[in-house]
Amino acid sequence: MKYLSLSISALVMLTGCQSISGNNSTLAQKNQLPAHIANKLASPEDVSHALLADETADVIHPVADVNIPLNDSAIINDGIWQRIRNQLVFDIPQNKRVIVQRNWYAKHQSYLDRVAKRAEPFMHFIVQEIEASGIPMDIALLPIVESAFDPFAYSHGRASGMWQFVPGTGTRFGMKQNWWYDGRRDVVASTKGAIKYLKYLHKFFDGNWMHALAAYNSGEGRVQRAIRTNKRKNKPTDFWSLDLPRETRAYVPKLLALADLVKRPKAFNVSFYAIADEPVISAIDIGSQIDLAKAAELAKLSLKELQHLNPGFNRWATDPNGPHYLVLPNNKVDAFKSGLSKLSTKERLAWQRYKIKRGDSLGIIAKRFNTDISVIKQINNIRGTQIREGKHLLIPVAAKSLDKYILSSDQRLAKKQNKPRGSEKITHIVKAGDTFWDLSRAYGVNYRKLAKWNGMAPRDSLRIGQKLVIWRKAKVAYANSPSSNPIVRNITYRVRKGDSFARIANKFNVTIREIERWNNLSRKKYLQPGQKIKLSVDVTKAI
């Protein structure tokens, strides 16, 4: 399987369990911490909302620290941070772009604490993987810049997970993505994929880590073009001299600023929440699909805790086609393995016998039971798509009500959509041809916000029948109400392939005659893709 091509077998051995750790005592002195610190997991409540810092190099902060000593190497008893501290290698220029970012972090101790607690279950594993790969230890801090260590983070650019991979790059570096599972959110898969991608970029840019990091943010093509442009103009080609997007210009300084804080925290009056320098989680081979609620019960964890440690799973069960492992706290492994060994394959899931009704299809049945068509076909030995009324199907179903799986894709979306963003909440059912841009114009809202309210990125494709939530600041009386007043907005619409006068008129609740009059056009002529037409849309009636 392409998934986890970087030796996942090292994690899930025939024994069924291997601690995610390494023998690295020669690299850094191990700080022994109390057991309650070593075994403590990050608060599950932190997972659903990462407070990301979106500062840029142009944000105005005091530029101070002129007389701060550059060496502050006193041993600090903060566990894994000292191990990281001992291996930091990047040169950190004391320029304005770095200082601005460093001052922001230094002024937000509570943010650093929150991020470190969220990272706690995974940091030892990440450090171990970086040491084994031979890349700079500074990279261990990159998830802070990318996602604040939130495995559920999703950006406006369609990047997902702790390491923020877009779909194409995730697939390219071994992260499987489907209805059941998204490897970009799997901490094991995405960490290995991120290391593999960074090593590729490092080689691509002839050993220049600053260029590689910039490309991790904006793509190797964008950075390569900036380098070539500077070469043509006989300008320096170091990172600091390149003309890059604003986000990328701040991205590398953020990482260097964090490395500086970790290297000499006393100099900036900050501390790092202590994380034990020892493994606290293990990847357990489960062999086949299992209901996450059943797995949580076996491990004596809450369902939320289990989902927090295994954020790659979108639904109520693991992917039937793998990966077949779960990440668990080490102190829960024995109980889980003992319970799992007593379950038969059929006992891993709940089942329902369903009689096929007139009008049923595999798609309708799969949607009804919140499962996938391929699962139904596989279990019932169905070839093709034909099913017969009156026959019975065996359907795997969730052991608990779906709202109990609170970190599943559906439940996280429901929570996001129900969070109040205004005084009026509107539900829109997507029709053919709808886009975020068109809907934002019709409802008078920002298209980026519209996408964010629905857990999506502006470039994500909409599906016919999909439910979108739209929030507005003030309630609007609709046109069929006796006391209502129309709210008309003038918009410019770009004709798309397949559009017609009738389709556009229906979409925006106007008449073909009005479109003709507003644009001095005739319905007898074909509309051309890319053509711009003017519309006057009553947003109380549109769409």
Side-chain angles (χ1 to χ4, degrees):
M1 184 181 298
K2 183 178 180 183
Y3 170 79
L4 288 189
S5 58
L6 295 182
S7 66
I8 186 60
S9 57
L11 291 176
V12 285
M13 306 294 286
L14 293 176
T15 58
C17 166
Q18 179 181 354
S19 293
I20 302 179
S21 62
N23 185 15
N24 296 292
S25 58
T26 60
L27 293 172
Q29 179 180 357
K30 199 169 186 179
N31 293 289
Q32 297 297 328
L33 298 178
H36 72 280
I37 294 179
N39 294 325
K40 184 178 177 183
L41 294 176
S43 170
E45 285 74 15
D46 282 339
V47 177
S48 61
H49 58 286
L51 301 179
L52 299 175
D54 192 27
E55 71 282 7
T56 70
D58 295 330
V59 173
I60 299 176
H61 292 299
V63 179
D65 310 332
V66 175
N67 297 316
I68 288 177
L70 296 180
N71 291 309
D72 181 20
S73 57
I75 299 297
I76 301 170
N77 188 28
D78 54 4
I80 197 71
W81 299 107
Q82 185 62 43
R83 182 169 171 180
I84 294 171
R85 189 174 294 122
N86 290 343
Q87 300 180 70
L88 295 174
V89 297
F90 286 159
D91 291 329
I92 304 172
Q94 301 301 307
N95 60 33
K96 181 178 179 179
R97 287 164 67 181
V98 172
I99 292 172
V100 163
Q101 305 301 335
R102 188 179 62 204
N103 284 352
W104 188 93
Y105 286 121
K107 287 182 178 181
H108 293 81
Q109 179 66 57
S110 61
Y111 171 82
L112 295 176
D113 291 342
R114 183 163 49 250
V115 170
K117 289 178 182 179
R118 197 179 294 135
E120 186 173 14
F122 311 114
M123 185 60 94
H124 187 276
F125 163 68
I126 291 172
V127 168
Q128 167 197 302
E129 290 295 310
I130 288 175
E131 286 177 340
S133 71
I135 67 175
M137 183 53 67
D138 308 64
I139 302 299
L141 306 176
L142 198 58
I144 301 178
V145 180
E146 286 288 351
S147 66
F149 267 101
D150 179 7
F152 295 105
Y154 190 69
S155 78
H156 62 83
R158 303 180 69 210
S160 183
M162 183 182 295
W163 293 93
Q164 288 289 280
F165 278 95
V166 295
T169 309
T171 299
R172 179 181 166 195
F173 288 93
M175 280 152 270
K176 179 180 178 182
Q177 299 156 60
N178 59 30
W179 188 81
W180 290 98
Y181 170 80
D182 190 337
R184 297 176 299 161
R185 293 200 311 270
D186 183 321
V187 176
V188 174
S190 63
T191 298
K192 289 179 177 290
I195 291 172
K196 187 175 181 180
Y197 185 31
L198 284 162
K199 291 180 75 171
Y200 160 79
L201 291 171
H202 182 246
K203 183 177 180 180
F204 184 90
F205 289 103
D206 300 322
N208 189 311
W209 273 113
M210 298 301 102
H211 289 166
L213 288 166
Y216 189 90
N217 177 254
S218 61
E220 54 263 47
R222 181 66 184 83
V223 176
Q224 188 178 51
R225 288 193 296 273
I227 292 172
R228 289 173 176 171
T229 297
N230 277 24
K231 284 182 177 179
R232 286 197 302 270
K233 297 179 179 179
N234 293 318
K235 292 183 177 181
T237 59
D238 61 285
F239 165 76
W240 308 98
S241 302
L242 298 180
D243 182 15
L244 295 169
R246 186 176 182 181
E247 178 184 342
T248 307
R249 287 176 56 81
Y251 179 84
V252 173
K254 286 180 183 180
L255 179 64
L256 296 177
L258 285 165
D260 205 8
L261 290 175
V262 172
K263 186 179 293 186
R264 45 199 187 113
K266 291 181 180 179
F268 305 105
N269 195 30
V270 299
S271 62
F272 286 87
Y273 172 81
I275 299 174
D277 185 8
E278 57 188 55
V280 295
I281 55 175
S282 296
I284 311 302
D285 186 353
I286 58 175
S288 63
Q289 187 180 31
I290 190 170
D291 190 304
L292 294 177
K294 175 62 72 174
E297 181 182 337
L298 294 177
K300 302 186 185 307
L301 292 169
S302 71
L303 182 51
K304 187 175 183 179
E305 287 172 330
L306 183 78
Q307 289 183 297
H308 166 46
L309 290 172
N310 297 274
F313 295 110
N314 293 328
R315 309 296 167 181
W316 50 270
T318 62
D319 187 338
N321 296 315
H324 294 311
Y325 68 83
L326 286 173
V327 173
L328 298 174
N330 285 344
N331 59 359
K332 303 293 185 180
V333 167
D334 289 342
F336 177 80
K337 290 175 64 179
S338 176
L340 186 66
S341 66
K342 298 173 184 177
L343 289 184
S344 67
T345 301
K346 288 188 176 181
E347 289 174 323
R348 289 168 174 246
L349 302 170
W351 301 88
Q352 183 166 330
R353 192 167 182 261
Y354 176 76
K355 186 176 182 179
I356 300 171
K357 300 180 177 66
R358 182 184 297 273
D360 274 344
S361 67
L362 287 174
I364 290 173
I365 296 171
K367 185 175 182 180
R368 181 178 300 151
F369 290 99
N370 196 42
T371 189
D372 189 55
I373 293 175
S374 62
V375 174
I376 298 176
K377 292 176 66 174
Q378 181 181 354
I379 292 169
N380 294 277
N381 296 317
I382 297 175
R383 296 182 179 180
T385 59
Q386 298 299 316
I387 55 177
R388 292 177 58 187
E389 179 184 357
K391 295 291 185 180
H392 287 84
L393 297 174
L394 195 59
I395 311 290
V397 295
K400 294 188 175 182
S401 61
L402 295 179
D403 60 357
K404 300 297 184 182
Y405 301 80
I406 58 177
L407 293 180
S408 68
S409 178
D410 290 342
Q411 294 305 311
R412 284 186 287 108
L413 175 59
K415 182 177 180 180
K416 184 178 290 289
Q417 289 182 325
N418 290 329
K419 182 178 180 180
R421 315 277 186 169
S423 58
E424 181 185 21
K425 178 183 177 183
I426 301 169
T427 299
H428 174 82
I429 306 301
V430 174
K431 300 195 294 288
D434 280 349
T435 67
F436 279 124
W437 177 258
D438 291 338
L439 294 177
S440 70
R441 300 282 74 78
Y443 285 103
V445 298
N446 180 276
Y447 78 101
R448 289 184 180 273
K449 289 183 178 179
L450 175 57
K452 188 175 181 179
W453 296 335
N454 292 280
M456 301 177 72
R459 290 188 294 157
D460 284 342
S461 299
L462 297 175
R463 304 185 309 275
I464 295 175
Q466 181 179 355
K467 291 183 180 180
L468 296 179
V469 166
I470 298 164
W471 289 93
R472 294 203 290 213
K473 292 183 179 180
K475 289 191 175 182
V476 178
Y478 282 84
N480 58 4
S481 171
S483 60
S484 67
N485 295 312
I487 298 179
V488 177
R489 295 183 182 274
N490 295 321
I491 68 172
T492 299
Y493 177 76
R494 186 184 295 273
V495 176
R496 293 173 175 78
K497 184 178 180 180
D499 273 346
S500 64
F501 279 96
R503 184 174 181 179
I504 295 172
N506 180 64
K507 182 174 183 178
F508 290 99
N509 202 19
V510 297
T511 66
I512 295 176
R513 182 173 295 178
E514 286 174 325
I515 296 176
E516 290 177 315
R517 186 176 74 251
W518 294 330
N519 296 276
N520 194 25
L521 294 173
S522 170
R523 71 187 74 187
K524 295 179 181 179
K525 294 185 178 181
Y526 289 108
L527 295 172
Q528 300 298 322
Q531 180 179 351
K532 294 181 179 180
I533 60 175
K534 297 178 181 179
L535 302 173
S536 293
V537 179
D538 180 355
V539 298
T540 65
K541 296 191 295 182
I543 311 185

